[in-house]
Amino acid sequence: MNIFPKQIKTNLFRKKTIHFKGVFNLVFLYKLLMGLGKMVKINSNYDKLAAGYLFPEIAKRTKAFLSANPGVSVMKLGIGNTTEPLTKTTLNGLRMGVEKLASVETYTGYGDEQGNTALREAIAKKYSDYNVEIDPSEVFVSDGAKPDSGNIQSIFSQDAIIAVQDPAYPVYVDTNVIAGRTGENENGLYKGIVYMSCSEENNFFPTVPRARVDLIYLCSPNNPTGAVATHEQLKKFVDYALENKAVIIFDSAYAEYISDPTLPRSIYEIKGAKECAIELNSFSKSAGFTGVRLGWSIVPKNLVTEDSVAGKVNALWNRRQTTFFNGASNIVQDGGLAVLSIEGQEENKKVIDYYMENAKIIREGLESIGIKCFGGVNAPYIWMKTPNGLTSWEFFDKLLNECHVVGTPGSGFGPGGEGYFRLSAFGHKENIEKAVSEIKNKLKVEE
Ligand SMILES: Cc1ncc(COP(=O)(O)O)c(C=O)c1O
């Protein structure tokens, strides 16, 4: 049996002075022999991930409840998934995208990985609503803010120190765990990550880290707390980032839910942010594209790191996207363009108002029975304090058993979420009203 590739065999048995290539082949052979019987290894960082993702556990408990209570139905106020149909203008845009594929004159195949020029321009123009100037070359169209928030870490160094809000949207932490930037999880905290506490004391927006960090994930309006950062709060982070040569990853997926005109909807409203912040956004929650899939990132040309000059980070992200991503669907990009038209914006604003009316119903209903609530005013999430000192999961079971309502335990978003619970305003109004009425009538809250 010939176990050696031809080249190795010749080099090994040809009695010649060992030159560089020969040494290399010997090393290769040694490794080959040592490795005999061994197999490819997995990325063991996955094993560090805290057992069970939040939503599968919710589904498991809900299923168990339903099989123990046949005939009972549950009302879901848990997952942040949109429920209302797409608007007329949006649908027309999508239809147009489909139609274009039907004729040889307008058919397109692969497009630019960074997105179609018209859409990049429309997104850049949207920033003028916030008095912010963005160049289309700084816009990268994607299939959503979740992929972008997971992928963006890959353009930063392996030893980058990560800071996250606690509680936070789990993707920021999990993707850095998978990338190997953390140690093991101990009591819900990964070694090596800096957790920035968000609590009642700081209105659920953190103070800047005391130690030096490299990458700071901020989400405003926040999932899960519903808190929205003020100009002053964001300015402190921008100043910190500029001073420490850190980069802020700003997730503004819920920006369109801000109705208070004094609150920033983009981090670039803060002076200096273009030198230190990347912004991620999405059509998911602003236009019902959770299943359609479209998002974008802004990587300013002026953004610099300790070891890079202006333009480099933008070029790196471009390289990453052109290597790993083949562009968002051309049909969907036409839908996105329609969303950004004047009619599209007006129609989608009405859908957002609809969800925000749900948020009001939930918040007022809970407060009427003495439950302390946060968020739900400029964000579609209501962050409630669990009554009677219950843990988040204890309250999950109580709400399910007493009211048949499913919500999301705050502890699933990080240890800082323990003792809190998230209710989502995404849903049909009649279901929300029914759920709130059940909570008001059946939830036993001791005084
Ligand atoms: C903070 C935050 N960012 C991003 C996303 C996902 O966005 P997309 O659907 O565009 O991937 C979500 C979804 O719940 C979210 O809460």
Side-chain angles (χ1 to χ4, degrees), residues 80 143-147 169 172 219 223 251 253-254 282 284-285 290 293-294 381:
D143 56 350
K146 182 176 183 178
Y169 181 52
Y172 316 138
C219 176
N223 176 13
D251 185 342
Y254 300 94
S282 165
S284 281
K285 310 298 162 86
T290 41
R293 311 302 307 145
L294 194 65
Y381 296 118

Side-chain angles (χ1 to χ4, degrees), residues 79-81 142-149 169 171-172 219-224 251-254 280-285 289-291 293-296 381 422 426:
I79 301 180
N81 204 354
S142 72
D143 56 350
K146 182 176 183 178
D148 284 345
S149 53
Y169 181 52
V171 179
Y172 316 138
C219 176
S220 173
N222 191 272
N223 176 13
D251 185 342
S252 58
Y254 300 94
L280 314 176
N281 206 325
S282 165
F283 289 81
S284 281
K285 310 298 162 86
F289 273 28
T290 41
R293 311 302 307 145
L294 194 65
W296 73 87
Y381 296 118
R422 190 193 79 173
F426 294 110

Side-chain angles (χ1 to χ4, degrees), residues 199-201 203-204 362-375 382-388 395 419-423 443 445:
S199 60
E200 280 178 65
E201 287 71 46
N203 290 322
F204 297 99
I362 299 170
R363 190 170 166 150
E364 288 179 358
L366 294 174
E367 283 174 342
S368 75
I369 55 166
I371 291 177
K372 204 168 184 186
C373 292
F374 306 90
I382 291 88
W383 186 241
M384 55 165 283
K385 203 169 167 68
T386 56
N388 314 130
F395 184 72
Y420 291 90
F421 202 75
R422 190 193 79 173
L423 290 174
L443 189 70
V445 185

Side-chain angles (χ1 to χ4, degrees), residues 156-176:
F156 295 99
S157 72
Q158 190 62 26
D159 60 358
I161 299 169
I162 309 300
V164 291
Q165 288 169 275
D166 177 25
Y169 181 52
V171 179
Y172 316 138
V173 168
D174 288 0
T175 51
N176 276 291

Side-chain angles (χ1 to χ4, degrees), residues 113-383:
E113 291 93 339
Q114 306 84 347
N116 295 344
T117 306
L119 183 58
R120 295 178 88 190
E121 284 172 357
I123 292 169
K125 191 166 166 283
K126 185 170 172 50
Y127 281 82
S128 58
D129 292 354
Y130 321 134
N131 293 321
V132 169
E133 209 178 304
I134 295 291
D135 190 85
S137 63
E138 297 172 314
V139 178
F140 295 83
V141 176
S142 72
D143 56 350
K146 182 176 183 178
D148 284 345
S149 53
N151 295 330
I152 196 75
Q153 48 77 27
S154 71
I155 61 168
F156 295 99
S157 72
Q158 190 62 26
D159 60 358
I161 299 169
I162 309 300
V164 291
Q165 288 169 275
D166 177 25
Y169 181 52
V171 179
Y172 316 138
V173 168
D174 288 0
T175 51
N176 276 291
V177 173
I178 291 168
R181 287 201 185 84
T182 74
E184 297 294 332
N185 187 307
E186 265 178 30
N187 306 319
L189 300 172
Y190 288 97
K191 283 192 179 157
I193 285 194
V194 173
Y195 289 86
M196 304 181 291
S197 168
C198 297
S199 60
E200 280 178 65
E201 287 71 46
N202 58 21
N203 290 322
F204 297 99
F205 194 79
T207 45
V208 295
R210 259 176 292 168
R212 205 196 148 273
V213 300
D214 300 304
L215 274 185
I216 305 166
Y217 289 82
L218 290 178
C219 176
S220 173
N222 191 272
N223 176 13
T225 66
V228 185
T230 62
H231 281 269
E232 294 69 35
Q233 285 170 322
L234 284 188
K235 185 176 180 314
K236 286 193 180 136
F237 271 88
V238 169
D239 290 347
Y240 172 94
L242 291 173
E243 213 171 284
N244 291 281
K245 287 247 180 321
V247 170
I248 298 170
I249 314 286
F250 189 72
D251 185 342
S252 58
Y254 300 94
E256 295 293 307
Y257 286 79
I258 299 177
S259 54
D260 181 342
T262 66
L263 294 169
R265 281 181 283 163
S266 163
I267 193 157
Y268 303 122
E269 291 181 52
I270 314 303
K271 199 166 166 275
K274 276 205 201 164
E275 281 100 72
C276 65
I278 289 173
E279 184 161 296
L280 314 176
N281 206 325
S282 165
F283 289 81
S284 281
K285 310 298 162 86
S286 60
F289 273 28
T290 41
V292 179
R293 311 302 307 145
L294 194 65
W296 73 87
S297 53
I298 306 287
V299 183
K301 293 264 173 70
N302 286 344
L303 185 85
V304 284
T305 59
E306 188 189 290
D307 56 351
S308 74
V309 293
K312 176 75 178 173
V313 179
N314 176 286
L316 275 189
W317 185 233
N318 188 57
R319 186 71 169 90
R320 193 270 164 212
Q321 292 299 76
T322 52
T323 304
F324 285 82
F325 184 56
N326 236 348
S329 147
N330 44 13
I331 300 169
V332 171
Q333 292 193 66
D334 274 329
L337 255 182
V339 169
L340 295 176
S341 68
I342 294 172
E343 303 77 30
Q345 294 284 278
E346 280 169 7
E347 290 169 13
N348 281 299
K349 166 88 175 58
K350 289 193 186 126
V351 184
I352 290 169
D353 290 347
Y354 175 92
Y355 289 132
M356 289 312 294
E357 180 60 29
N358 288 347
K360 190 164 177 261
I361 294 167
I362 299 170
R363 190 170 166 150
E364 288 179 358
L366 294 174
E367 283 174 342
S368 75
I369 55 166
I371 291 177
K372 204 168 184 186
C373 292
F374 306 90
V377 179
N378 290 287
Y381 296 118
I382 291 88
W383 186 241

